Structure formats: C-alpha cells, structure tokens
Amino acid sequence: MRLTILAPLVAALFIAFTQPAQAERVDSGVPGMLFDHDVPVAMNDGAKLSINIYRPDKPGRYPVLMLMGPYGKDTTMADAPAYRTSWAKLIAKYPDLCKKSSCRYIRFEAPDPERWVPSGYVVIHADVRGAGASPGVLDPFSPRETQDYATLITWAAHQPWSTGKVGLLGTSFQAINQYQVAALRPEGLAAILPWEGAFDQYREIAYYGGILNVAWQFWWEHQVVPNQNGNAGTPLIDSIGGGKDTGLPLSQERLKDNRIDPVGAFARHPFDDAWYHERTPDGRRITVPLLDVANWTDWSTQGYLAAASRQKWLRIQTGDHLTPFYSDQALALQKRFFDHFLKGIDNGWEQEPRVAVQVRHRDGTTWRNEKAWPLPDTNWEPYYLDAASGSMGPTFEAAAPAAKSWPGLGEGLTFTTAPFVNETEFTGPVALRLWVSSSTADMDIFAAVRLIDPEGRDVTFMGNSDPNVPLDLGYLRVSHRAVDPANSTAWQPFHPHVAAEPMTPGQLYPVDVEFMEPTSIVIPKGYRLALTIQGTDFGYGPGAPIVHAKDYDLPDDSHSGLFFAAHPNRDPALYGGTDTIVTGGKHASYLLLPHVPPRS
C-alpha cells in the first residue's frame, strides 16, 4: 500500500477549522499586505504548527497559496550560510529582483508573498513539525508530516478570508510533499504546482538503481538540522523579530531524540519496502489539476506520468532549479495556472500545450510545445557497443563478440560514436542494456552519457544542483537487476528493488541500467556521443578537458548531480572486483536513445 493508507482522513483530523488561531500581527512594511506571524494551528494530535500568513489588506475572500518546509519560514537566503551562494546566484541573474519586491520575505525555494498578495492571493508558509517554530519530531516526508499538511490545507480552506480553494507552490522539498499530500485528497486542495520535485521516495531520493545516495547527509546537516526546533545554537537569524526562530532551547540529547536522520533511515531500509510505500504517493489518487515543472538533470517527470489528473501539464527545463523559479516568465506561468484553477478566470489556460520542453543545444536552448510525453514520434534507436574498438553506433549490431574488463573501483570504460554527419536531436528517456560479469558477488554500474566536441572535450551543462553535468546519468547495483515486465517499457525498465540476487563470479548477466531522468540535446555536426561505464561516482576531476554550454566559472568535482555513493555499504571486497562487459552476437549491449525527427 502507498500513502493511501492514511486516507480517507477521518473527520476528527480536522479540528476547529472555523476558529481563527491567535495571530501576532506584524507591520509588513509592504503597502496593502497584512502579515500574521507565528500563527499556531492545531493538528489532530494536539501538536501545533507555526505558520506565517500574508494576505491583502482589504476585506474579502481570497484563494490560498501554501507551502510547508523545513528551511525556516523566517530565514532569508542572504543571512543563512547554506543559502548565501544560492542568493548570490539569484541576484546575479536577476539584478532587478529587489526593485520589484523588498525581498524581505523571499525564502529558500519558496514564492515571494510580495509578488502574489497584490494579485489577490493569501500566501501561507508553514514550518514542518520539528523545524523552526513548530515543536515536535523532525521526520522529513513521513506520514505524520503529510497528515499535518492535509490538516493545514483544510484549516486554510475554512478561514473567513479564504475562498475555500488552496493551491500548493514551491520547489524541491516543497514540491515533493505536494505529491504526497495530494494523494490524501484533503478538503480544499484545488491545484498543485510541484516545481522540480521527486515522486518516488526509493528510486529518486534514497537509492539510485539500488545504490544508497548519501548526498542527503549534506542536505540534512547543513540545511535542515540548523533549523531544528529547539536548536539554540543555530546560525540562522529570525528576519522578522531578530534572534532565533527555533523555539525554546532543548538539550543536545533531546534534539537528537527529536529528529530522524534520513540517510540512517535509508540505510536501514535497503529495499523498496513498506517504509517507502508510506512515503511514495499512489498516483491514482492524485486527481487535482497539476503543472509539473521538471528538469533534465534531477527531478522529475515521474509525478506527471503517475498522476491520474485529467488536467495535467508538463514542462521540462534546463538550468539550476532555483533561479528560474523566480524569473518573470515563471511567475507569469504560475499566475496563469492558479488564476484559472483557483480564481476560475478564463485566461486560455486549457489551451496551453500539455507538454513543453526546453531543448538543449550546444550554446543555448529553445522552447518547443509538444502533445504528449514521451514525445509521440520518438524513434528509439539502439547504439550498439563494441568492446573490441571502444566504439558504439547503430552499425555495430553485427559486430563480432568481444569482452573488456575494468577494476570495479578504478577507471572504467568509454564507448564513443563516430562524429555525427548531420545535426541530430535526442529528447526523451534513455535506457542501457548491458551483458556483464564480475569476479565478485556484486558490482555497481555508474553510467554517464556525454557530449564530446570536435577537439575531444566534454561539453557540460548547468544541472539542477550541479553546474557541471553530462547529458544523463544512470545507475544499477547488479544484485538488484530483477525487472518487473508489467511495469516496464523498452525505454524505462522498472526494477522492483525488493531483494538482492548475488552474482556468481564469472557468470554473465543481462542488466538494464536505470536512468530516472530523460535527456535532451541537439548534437551539432562533427560532435560525438560518449558512454562511460564505471564502478564509482562519475565526475569531472581536476584538469579534465571541458567546455561549457554557458560561460560559468565552475569548480572541479568528483561527482555529478544529486547523487553521491561513497558509503560503508560499498565494501571494496565486494564492489572492488574485476568487472567485465561482453558485446556483440547474442550478447548485444546497447544504449537506447530517443531520436526525434526534425520539426517543420
């Protein structure tokens, strides 16, 4: 069972909806905007979440935009150590941003109330249980947290200043939990706009291809724990009242007891079990209007594909996941969506193309409207690998059988196409079928699809969380190689991840590598594609020959994207063996690419 085990929510869950909570009215400093700070709202178990309410300073009922997160509803990006780099990037890209707003109320990955309240919206920002001014146990994405969100949505729908319609808006964490709560179908929820949020808690957050993702440890320690309720030592400053906004101080022992370390929890649950099922929504229960804004590098078309909503739209963009959210173009898109579904304005939104993709080129991007996802006229082309020559391409289907090995924890293998003789577009999901063996009982596969210029240099792109990424990344722990045919397609294998099947050393196995995200690239004439297969994190080390799709000052990095695999569960004795790939004949290994015909 999925999150639906919590639904339908019983009437007792929603208590005292028509009774406004006590508010601390603060002078917002913004003409026409009322600001109620640290409003306590009771949950069904008696605990209280602390929320901020921003609303128009005139009588009436207004639709509500809401988000709930762990980062601090009163913490500005400019003042938080973990967010200063993000803030600097944002201001560098949009130097006039704070001329359109005081920027006093912009929070990390959250909408700016000053740009919504004048348009006739109430904006509510809540601290999740256990974070900021909300006491309790901090347990990200837990069923308890999702229940809280559902309670808060229905509470807002019953307030005297509310029309009864609530929409959800935010990025990353505040997009992931939109999917979760939408599956509970709380009263009042009318539309969601998850901006670059994961859907599948096992496959997109905890484990990539069955390999534990420890990148979350940095997120936990640097972005979440500093804002834990009771953390008197937090470096975060309450931008509203000064001082700290983490409630009454708690001892270090109590603080530790009051938080659930997600990476520790992931490690205790190596398979897609009931723990993840409680945190991964049942898409069949998501029926509200939905606009999913995804990114080619990390998060996610999965929510769009899973949701049962009859009114759903998908936009896939490139670039980092923070700055585009605050652009004028993004704000206009967000307002058109919510104006239609929360205010009932006939603004032509229903004629908006159901799918729009930002196609990547060597030196820029172009937006294109499409009818469906994956693109209906995609030609799925296998690029066969040849271990003898290190080449790949459609013509190697008939290549003679060959094999090549690499050290599991060392440098891997790279297969390269011939230079493309014509400009060629690949836009869509990517798949990889390999025949492999190992000298040990398991092996990890890290795959990177790369664009190579005529001088042999990598062309890299700005990613969701990394300014230096290849075209696509795939992962698989070979003991997790089992595939569920009923839920798989040729371009998207589905691994159940419910048990480990050790390898017999020296035995050959067919495996399908998971690429959770699609890709998009128009390959210029004379450029090549490369596929790197290795047993460690893929990244661009010091001195790597790189050119960038944009002129960025980029750091060297040992890994790309939101994934990092270094962890004790990668025992060198098990994952440091000699790994082998076999190609040709009855053991054809190939990269399946989504070729898109030229558009007229």
Side-chain angles (χ1 to χ4, degrees):
M1 296 179 67
R2 298 287 178 181
L3 277 171
T4 52
I5 61 174
L6 302 176
L9 297 176
V10 294
L13 179 64
F14 305 120
I15 56 178
F17 289 130
T18 58
Q19 301 300 316
Q22 286 297 111
E24 176 193 352
R25 178 62 52 78
V26 175
D27 181 5
S28 70
V30 178
M33 187 173 83
L34 298 178
F35 176 31
D36 294 328
H37 179 241
D38 274 343
V39 178
V41 180
M43 300 294 103
N44 68 316
D45 63 351
K48 292 183 179 181
L49 294 192
S50 182
I51 71 173
N52 287 350
I53 306 173
Y54 309 85
R55 55 192 179 93
D57 186 11
K58 54 185 178 181
R61 292 178 179 268
Y62 304 93
V64 176
L65 285 184
M66 182 180 291
L67 70 152
M68 187 177 81
Y71 303 125
K73 61 181 176 51
D74 296 320
T75 301
T76 62
M77 284 190 277
D79 293 330
Y83 309 133
R84 286 173 187 156
T85 300
S86 296
W87 178 250
K89 288 171 59 178
L90 182 60
I91 293 302
K93 188 165 186 178
Y94 305 123
D96 294 334
L97 183 67
C98 294
K99 296 178 182 178
K100 303 172 183 177
S101 161
S102 74
C103 289
R104 183 183 178 190
Y105 301 102
I106 294 181
R107 305 295 181 250
F108 184 61
E109 300 179 340
D112 180 0
E114 289 186 60
R115 304 182 80 180
W116 285 93
V117 171
S119 298
Y121 286 90
V122 174
V123 176
I124 294 179
H125 191 163
D127 283 331
V128 299
R129 184 182 296 230
S134 296
V137 175
L138 181 57
D139 189 4
F141 304 122
S142 65
R144 174 70 263 176
E145 193 175 88
T146 306
Q147 275 190 328
D148 289 347
Y149 206 176
T151 302
L152 188 58
I153 289 168
T154 301
W155 175 88
H158 283 265
Q159 296 309 299
W161 32 255
S162 169
T163 63
K165 289 190 174 183
V166 179
L168 308 182
L169 176 63
T171 75
S172 194
F173 187 104
Q174 287 112 182
I176 298 167
N177 62 12
Q178 290 183 44
Y179 292 122
Q180 291 179 301
V181 75
L184 298 187
R185 299 180 179 176
E187 180 188 353
L189 184 61
I192 63 174
L193 203 166
W195 191 284
E196 297 188 14
F199 182 84
D200 189 312
Q201 287 278 322
Y202 183 87
R203 292 162 183 81
E204 295 186 276
I205 294 179
Y207 286 82
Y208 282 22
I211 307 171
L212 180 63
N213 183 7
V214 298
W216 289 101
Q217 199 65 45
F218 180 91
W219 168 80
W220 178 246
E221 293 175 357
H222 294 271
Q223 293 182 285
V224 179
V225 171
N227 191 53
Q228 183 182 3
N229 179 263
N231 184 359
T234 180
L236 304 179
I237 303 299
D238 177 0
S239 64
I240 307 304
K244 311 297 183 183
D245 192 33
T246 50
L248 297 176
L250 298 175
S251 68
Q252 290 300 314
E253 292 77 12
R254 182 69 179 276
L255 286 171
K256 186 175 180 180
D257 289 341
N258 273 9
R259 61 179 182 250
I260 308 298
D261 174 6
V263 175
F266 298 161
R268 291 190 295 274
H269 297 272
F271 303 110
D272 189 15
D273 59 15
W275 191 86
Y276 296 102
H277 298 174
E278 290 183 329
R279 291 158 174 79
T280 296
D282 183 345
R284 296 169 298 182
R285 291 189 54 82
I286 299 177
T287 56
V288 294
L290 159 70
L291 171 57
D292 175 7
V293 178
N295 193 299
W296 296 121
T297 55
D298 298 311
W299 299 350
S300 169
T301 62
Q302 298 303 314
Y304 171 82
L305 293 171
S309 304
R310 299 181 69 177
Q311 296 172 298
K312 63 179 181 178
W313 287 262
L314 173 67
R315 289 172 65 88
I316 313 178
Q317 65 184 16
T318 189
D320 73 272
H321 92 144
L322 184 65
T323 55
F325 180 77
Y326 294 98
S327 71
D328 289 341
Q329 295 84 354
L331 182 65
L333 178 79
Q334 295 159 11
K335 284 188 175 180
R336 285 190 65 230
F337 177 76
F338 285 121
D339 281 353
H340 182 70
F341 289 109
L342 300 189
K343 293 184 175 183
I345 296 175
D346 184 7
N347 56 12
W349 179 265
E350 291 289 352
Q351 283 69 53
E352 187 77 14
R354 289 302 176 108
V355 175
V357 293
Q358 190 176 14
V359 179
R360 293 187 294 197
H361 299 257
R362 163 62 181 83
D363 290 306
T365 64
T366 55
W367 277 101
R368 191 173 69 221
N369 296 329
E370 296 285 354
K371 296 180 180 179
W373 182 259
L375 306 186
D377 57 351
T378 302
N379 296 321
W380 302 98
E381 296 185 350
Y383 276 59
Y384 295 94
L385 311 184
D386 178 25
S389 64
S391 301
M392 68 174 178
T395 62
F396 289 100
E397 181 178 10
K404 197 162 187 179
S405 301
W406 69 95
L409 298 180
E411 186 174 345
L413 307 179
T414 294
F415 299 85
T416 310
T417 68
F420 281 75
V421 296
N422 296 304
E423 185 176 85
T424 304
E425 179 183 342
F426 296 110
T427 295
V430 172
L432 178 61
R433 160 56 68 96
L434 301 175
W435 285 84
V436 297
S437 67
S438 179
S439 63
T440 64
D442 207 351
M443 63 182 285
D444 285 342
I445 296 173
F446 298 76
V449 181
R450 303 154 51 198
L451 180 63
I452 309 297
D453 78 357
E455 285 72 45
R457 301 171 299 179
D458 273 80
V459 180
T460 63
F461 298 85
M462 174 64 76
N464 173 301
S465 63
D466 189 330
N468 191 15
V469 297
L471 290 174
D472 212 347
L473 293 164
Y475 309 86
L476 183 67
R477 174 152 290 176
V478 175
S479 60
H480 286 233
R481 62 189 176 275
V483 171
D484 177 3
N487 289 304
S488 298
T489 63
W491 56 87
Q492 187 72 71
F494 183 85
H495 298 274
H497 295 295
V498 294
E501 301 176 61
M503 306 170 71
T504 298
Q507 183 172 322
L508 203 57
Y509 297 91
V511 299
D512 296 288
V513 178
E514 286 186 7
F515 286 80
M516 291 307 299
E517 308 307 334
T519 193
S520 179
I521 185 63
V522 176
I523 301 175
K525 179 181 178 180
Y527 282 61
R528 296 173 294 149
L529 284 179
L531 170 68
T532 293
I533 300 169
Q534 56 192 43
T536 57
D537 291 291
F538 177 83
Y540 298 100
I546 295 173
V547 292
H548 309 290
K550 293 286 187 180
D551 185 19
Y552 296 115
D553 180 17
L554 301 177
D556 291 319
D557 205 346
S558 61
H559 64 284
S560 293
L562 286 173
F563 182 88
F564 185 53
H567 188 269
N569 81 332
R570 282 178 41 82
D571 180 359
L574 186 57
Y575 299 100
T578 298
D579 299 331
T580 301
I581 182 172
V582 175
T583 64
K586 64 180 181 180
H587 297 130
S589 295
Y590 57 86
L591 179 68
L592 190 66
L593 293 172
H595 181 215
V596 176
R599 298 300 199 245
S600 56

